[in-house]
Amino acid sequence: MEQLKHECGVAMIRLLKPLSYYERKYGTCRYGLDKLYLMMEKQHNRGQEGAGVACVNLDAPAGEEYMFRERAEGKDAITEVFKKIVPPSSPEGDTIAPLGKEASPRGGWEGASIFMGHLRYSTTGKSGLQYVHPFLRRNNWRAKNLCLCGNFNMTNIDEVFHFLTAQGQSPRIYGDAYITLELMGHRLDREAERLFSEAKEQGLQGTDITRYIDDLLKIENVLKTTMSHFDGGYVMCGLTGSGEMFAVRDPWGIRPAFWYQDDEVVVLASERPVIQTTFDLQAEDIQELKPGQSLIVRKNGENHLQQILPAQKLSACSFERIYFSRGSDRDIYIERKRLGEQLTPAIMQSIGGDVTNTVFSYIPNTAEVAFYGMTDGIRKQNHDVRIEKVIWKDIKLRTFITEGTERNDLAAHVYDITYGSLRAHEDNLVIIDDSIVRGTTLKESIFKILDRLQPKKIVMVSSSPQIRYPDYYGIDMSRLEELCAFRAAIALIKERGMEQVIAQTYKACKAEPVKANHVRAIYAPFNVEEINRKIVEMLRPDGMQAPVELVFQSIEGLHRACPNHPGDWYFTGHYPTPGGIRLCNEAFINYVEKVLKNQL
């Protein structure tokens, strides 16, 4: 219910045939652009703050542009970008070369054979067109031009920044995307210079040196000497002016990437169904990029997989399965249903087994699949299930409303209910959501409006476990105090006179910020049910009549449902990288010093 800004989406296409092939077979010279547009629209869920597209035209002669980029901001950014780069068709349509003949070289976007697209969600609070991917680094040598985009968040960007400045470089903007571009661009320059020296030693001169560099450039050398500096979750994608295309995944497999190849194209995207739908494929046709691995497509179209960094302990993000990725993926759909079904014993206990006098519903729209699993689980116990669409997502807040009182009043009306869907004071209401993060929407809107139906009891169900820790790998959850589970644990500590736990945790975080996640000590004195009850107490609005109970997924249930995605740091605090551990401990230090201040 509380929309999280989260990881971005990427899409890449490399055409492997001459452009005339696609014109003759598909009737358009814009086959690559059309497919890129579809892949980006199918990933619109991954980024609605901005979008950008880049391409390389390998046939452009000297003196003409060969590397292009367009970017736009806002939820309609994809449409805006493609309006700029795809001119209206002429009345006669596309000119198709006669069979057996190659069309004249096309300029601009229509002559490109390598494409890259990006959808952006900001997790750093930085906005403006300058922060929209892809990022472009120009040079007069084709091979030294670099265009970069990614689905990532780096946890050690300070260290990399100091590494660059110690070498004498001065990045124009302090941000992980720009700093990654500058570091990789520097390594790309070094790779080109290495080949230049080789060519000179072989007696080559002039454009022969250029061709030597363009043909023999090894982007894997660039990636190995760049990505080893970073700690974080990422899928980094790029193009060079000489025609190299690449994507590399972090060695923990935190962020996802899928790819496909046939004799016409090589493609990559953040989600598998995107490629399936765009190219009419089966799930088995598509491969997942492995941790630490890179997909590299050379200038001549040859492609291969290269292990860039040694694979670490698999920590593929479980939240991708619960919420972020589209539920149309075959495996994700099954997993989300399983998450819902596993909750039925706890739900039955909450309603005292009284299915006859219980209505089941869900928070639109991402919890819908878990809802199917939940109701299937009830039916398997030989019960008829009463299903109603109790709650509706009605409006989005308008950003020009800035006063706090007005915002709270609008927030209370973001959702609406179906009046008459329950029998007042007779029916329980079980309503499932994919996650409960901050609790703001529950307090300001959901609980207030559901109470109007006068249910006998509300059972609020989360298909994910309690979210106890921030994320630092590309999702907008960076402050501990925003998480309702953390606030509940702190409230219990204060109620029971256990402030020494806070002081000891603070001291440990200051002394050993990387050795272990010391914040886990905050939750150690309490069980899940104690924190649940405190969350309800904190989020229950004044004047609410119906009793409320929370049911969360268990950690064990999460791993049973999503066995191939063990990354659970949101729930357990087990961060896969040193940078995640350090940032969590720093978040607690900031909380104590800025929020608690002199309370200890």
Side-chain angles (χ1 to χ4, degrees):
M1 81 193 63
E2 298 164 291
Q3 186 178 24
L4 292 173
K5 296 177 181 179
H6 55 91
E7 66 267 16
C8 306
V10 295
M12 306 185 83
I13 301 178
R14 174 61 155 94
L15 303 181
L16 300 178
K17 301 281 189 182
L19 294 180
S20 58
Y21 171 90
Y22 305 94
E23 291 181 289
R24 291 194 295 268
K25 184 172 180 178
Y26 299 106
T28 176
C29 66
R30 295 194 288 265
Y31 176 82
L33 283 170
D34 290 347
K35 292 299 186 184
L36 184 69
Y37 173 77
L38 283 174
M39 291 175 73
M40 293 179 70
E41 282 290 2
K42 292 295 180 183
Q43 294 183 101
H44 211 148
N45 57 299
R46 300 187 74 90
Q48 298 178 33
E49 291 186 1
V53 173
C55 76
V56 177
N57 185 332
L58 295 175
D59 295 325
E64 293 186 12
E65 184 58 83
Y66 51 87
M67 204 167 190
F68 300 85
R69 178 188 63 170
E70 285 289 350
R71 300 178 293 175
E73 290 186 274
K75 63 182 179 63
D76 298 319
I78 300 174
T79 300
E80 290 184 30
V81 165
F82 278 87
K83 279 182 178 178
K84 294 177 183 178
I85 64 180
V86 179
S89 298
S90 63
E92 296 80 16
D94 294 327
T95 302
I96 302 175
L99 198 62
K101 293 186 178 181
E102 180 64 61
S104 300
R106 292 182 179 272
W109 290 86
E110 290 189 349
S113 57
I114 311 172
F115 303 91
M116 182 170 71
H118 185 267
L119 297 118
R120 181 177 191 256
Y121 255 132
S122 168
T123 60
T124 62
K126 295 179 179 179
S127 60
L129 196 62
Q130 65 177 333
Y131 293 106
V132 177
H133 302 209
F135 298 100
L136 185 57
R137 191 176 190 264
R138 294 286 196 182
N139 195 284
N140 268 358
W141 290 76
R142 271 186 176 248
K144 292 184 178 182
N145 282 268
L146 178 65
C147 197
L148 207 62
C149 75
N151 169 15
F152 66 94
N153 197 56
M154 304 304 186
T155 65
N156 66 331
I157 203 63
D158 290 347
E159 297 171 20
V160 181
F161 179 80
H162 292 311
F163 173 78
L164 284 174
T165 54
Q167 292 183 324
Q169 297 189 55
S170 182
R172 293 182 297 114
I173 296 176
Y174 188 89
D176 51 4
Y178 271 97
I179 290 172
T180 305
L181 177 72
E182 290 304 324
L183 178 56
M184 191 174 293
H186 172 66
R187 296 301 187 185
L188 181 63
D189 290 348
R190 296 287 297 271
E191 173 67 9
E193 289 158 9
R194 178 185 70 80
L195 292 169
F196 179 87
S197 297
E198 282 186 7
K200 293 288 286 184
E201 290 174 1
Q202 295 179 26
L204 300 180
Q205 295 181 353
T207 56
D208 289 337
I209 295 178
T210 303
R211 282 191 291 270
Y212 184 87
I213 294 172
D214 291 351
D215 291 342
L216 297 181
L217 188 142
K218 289 185 178 295
I219 201 69
E220 51 264 47
N221 292 343
V222 177
L223 295 175
K224 287 178 180 179
T225 54
T226 300
M227 304 316 298
S228 60
H229 289 275
F230 290 105
D231 177 302
Y234 55 82
V235 172
M236 193 68 63
C237 303
L239 311 174
T240 71
S242 57
E244 301 282 313
M245 183 180 96
F246 64 88
V248 59
R249 189 181 185 189
D250 69 79
W252 300 271
I254 295 171
R255 300 272 71 91
F258 297 86
W259 66 280
Y260 166 77
Q261 178 206 347
D262 59 22
D263 63 343
E264 294 183 352
V265 294
V266 179
V267 297
L268 180 135
S270 294
E271 298 187 24
R272 181 170 63 179
V274 171
I275 301 176
Q276 282 185 252
T277 302
T278 302
F279 294 92
D280 191 19
L281 302 169
Q282 299 299 314
E284 293 76 15
D285 297 328
I286 299 163
Q287 299 185 56
E288 186 170 6
L289 200 62
K290 295 179 181 178
Q293 195 177 65
S294 180
L295 172 66
I296 296 172
V297 186
R298 304 293 306 279
K299 175 187 176 183
N300 61 6
E302 294 178 358
N303 64 87
H304 67 283
L305 296 171
Q306 179 80 39
Q307 196 69 31
I308 300 300
L309 297 170
Q312 303 298 316
K313 182 180 178 181
L314 180 64
S315 298
C317 174
S318 58
F319 231 134
E320 282 279 354
R321 320 303 281 184
I322 298 168
Y323 172 65
F324 294 137
S325 291
R326 290 161 62 97
S328 58
D329 182 275
R330 178 195 64 188
D331 296 339
I332 291 176
Y333 186 83
I334 293 170
E335 290 168 11
R336 288 184 183 173
K337 287 191 71 176
R338 195 179 297 145
L339 285 167
E341 183 175 345
Q342 289 177 166
L343 290 162
T344 53
I347 292 168
M348 290 294 287
Q349 183 177 349
S350 293
I351 62 174
D354 187 9
V355 178
T356 302
N357 296 305
T358 300
V359 170
F360 295 85
S361 192
Y362 64 93
I363 304 289
N365 289 319
T366 54
E368 185 175 1
V369 179
F371 169 76
Y372 295 147
M374 176 183 72
T375 52
D376 284 351
I378 301 293
R379 290 190 186 96
K380 287 179 181 178
Q381 299 182 26
N382 298 316
H383 292 289
D384 292 330
V385 183
R386 292 173 58 198
I387 295 172
E388 301 289 351
K389 186 165 184 178
V390 171
I391 196 160
W392 303 74
K393 186 78 175 283
D394 201 13
I395 62 168
K396 291 186 177 180
L397 295 180
R398 303 305 181 192
T399 56
F400 60 82
I401 300 293
T402 58
E403 297 296 326
T405 303
E406 293 174 286
R407 260 189 198 281
N408 290 339
D409 184 60
L410 275 178
H413 296 87
V414 169
Y415 289 90
D416 208 344
I417 51 170
T418 304
Y419 290 95
S421 54
L422 272 70
R423 295 174 300 187
H425 305 297
E426 295 183 31
D427 288 334
N428 301 309
L429 173 60
V430 174
I431 191 157
I432 190 169
D433 194 9
D434 49 64
S435 59
I436 299 172
V437 185
R438 301 178 179 95
T440 308
T441 309
L442 281 177
K443 185 177 179 67
E444 299 295 337
S445 180
I446 299 292
F447 283 160
K448 287 181 179 179
I449 203 162
L450 290 180
D451 199 44
R452 296 180 187 180
L453 296 173
Q454 298 179 309
K456 184 170 64 175
K457 180 181 185 179
I458 297 173
V459 180
M460 189 73 216
V461 182
S462 169
S463 65
S464 75
Q466 290 176 353
I467 296 174
R468 297 181 169 193
Y469 304 92
D471 179 75
Y472 301 105
Y473 304 119
I475 297 146
D476 185 21
M477 289 191 296
S478 60
R479 292 189 296 173
L480 281 162
E481 60 268 27
E482 292 182 345
L483 308 178
C484 61
F486 177 79
R487 298 198 307 272
I490 292 293
L492 288 170
I493 286 173
K494 292 180 178 179
E495 281 180 9
R496 301 181 186 183
M498 301 167 60
E499 284 84 356
Q500 74 276 8
V501 174
I502 299 175
Q504 291 167 0
T505 302
Y506 174 76
K507 184 178 180 181
C509 289
K510 293 281 282 187
E512 298 177 335
V514 180
K515 185 176 180 180
N517 179 5
H518 304 293
V519 184
R520 299 182 74 237
I522 295 297
Y523 297 97
F526 315 111
N527 59 39
V528 171
E529 288 71 26
E530 288 176 294
I531 293 177
N532 280 356
R533 289 193 292 270
K534 179 52 67 174
I535 291 173
V536 170
E537 182 183 322
M538 294 170 60
L539 299 185
R540 185 183 179 85
D542 294 339
M544 185 177 181
Q545 299 297 312
V548 176
E549 186 172 338
L550 289 180
V551 173
F552 281 93
Q553 184 71 247
S554 67
I555 300 297
E556 297 77 16
L558 169 68
H559 291 311
R560 284 196 303 270
C562 311
N564 298 318
H565 291 75
D568 62 2
W569 55 90
Y570 315 91
F571 319 114
T572 66
H574 294 310
Y575 291 91
T577 76
I581 295 170
R582 175 178 56 80
L583 290 176
C584 187
N585 287 328
E586 288 179 0
F588 188 79
I589 294 170
N590 291 335
Y591 168 73
V592 172
E593 294 178 349
K594 296 180 181 179
V595 179
L596 295 187
K597 297 181 180 177
N598 299 320
Q599 295 181 30
L600 297 180

